[in-house]
Amino acid sequence: MLIVIPALNEAGSIGDVVREVRGELPTVDVLVVDDGSTDDTARLAAAAGAIVARLPYNLGVGGAMRLGYRYGYEHDYDVVIQVDADGQHDPRYVPKLVDALSEADLVIGARFAGEGDYTVAGPRRWAMAMLSWVLSLLAHTRLTDTTSGFRAANRSAIEMFAFWYPVEYLGDTIETLVHACRRGYRVRQVPVAMRKRMAGTPSHSPVKAMIYLGRAFAVLTLAMIRR
């Protein structure tokens, strides 16, 4: 099993995240994909015990995860788990995601499925609700958190994502689900509780929330019409 952690300028948290993952899951391998960071992310990740792959410039989460899945595919891993570098994803939930792969190809760790108290309000919440409704129809199962980056993929999904993974904004969440559902991959979710970031400050403002809403609609529309 391989844990892939995409990271951009996460020197404040990456060392603690890697050490926590290795402490909770001592038998798994950890790959940090440094997405063109200008700080000490790569050095601190390696010092904490991770395998580190460095991109020469910032490609975004999609580009980083494409590299992670390609590494997982070429090194014959049966399961790849995506974990964020900011510490919000609790590695104690990883076994739950892996267990759910017995009935799915792609499993989402869902924030709004009855566990924890993570909340989102305003336009961002409206966008998430709309995306979840549409993608639930495509997946033929209830999905409540389609933008979650806490995910597990089996060997079949790893192979698909190794050769096809969008790098556009929200492509790593929305478009990957549309693509997987349309090709008959089984998508499921398990409830997880999210934590606060270990470092850094998330950006929240009414203007950015409205921009997120507009972009979410655009990404979903493009994903639905692409073949």
Side-chain angles (χ1 to χ4, degrees), residues 100-121:
L101 286 174
S102 63
E103 299 179 352
D105 302 295
L106 182 64
V107 177
I108 303 167
R111 295 166 287 186
F112 314 115
E115 187 154 344
D117 55 3
Y118 188 94
T119 59
V120 177

Side-chain angles (χ1 to χ4, degrees), residues 70-82:
R70 180 64 66 90
Y71 182 94
Y73 175 73
E74 292 181 350
H75 290 80
D76 297 321
Y77 286 96
D78 292 326
V79 176
V80 166
I81 311 286
Q82 179 182 348

Side-chain angles (χ1 to χ4, degrees), residues 12-92:
S13 60
I14 192 63
D16 289 336
V17 170
V18 171
R19 281 187 288 271
E20 183 182 28
V21 170
R22 288 175 57 82
E24 292 290 340
L25 307 163
T27 63
V28 308
D29 294 330
V30 181
L31 171 68
V32 172
V33 181
D34 181 1
D35 189 20
S37 296
T38 57
D39 62 7
D40 284 338
T41 293
R43 181 181 65 81
L44 293 171
I51 305 162
V52 177
R54 301 193 69 175
L55 292 171
Y57 47 84
N58 176 233
L59 292 179
V61 177
M65 284 308 302
R66 181 188 293 175
L67 174 58
Y69 280 115
R70 180 64 66 90
Y71 182 94
Y73 175 73
E74 292 181 350
H75 290 80
D76 297 321
Y77 286 96
D78 292 326
V79 176
V80 166
I81 311 286
Q82 179 182 348
V83 173
D84 284 354
D86 58 12
Q88 285 189 299
H89 297 160
D90 189 335
R92 290 176 295 181

Side-chain angles (χ1 to χ4, degrees), residues 203-215:
S203 57
H204 297 295
S205 73
V207 173
K208 288 183 177 180
M210 290 303 296
I211 291 173
Y212 180 91
L213 179 62
R215 285 179 170 180

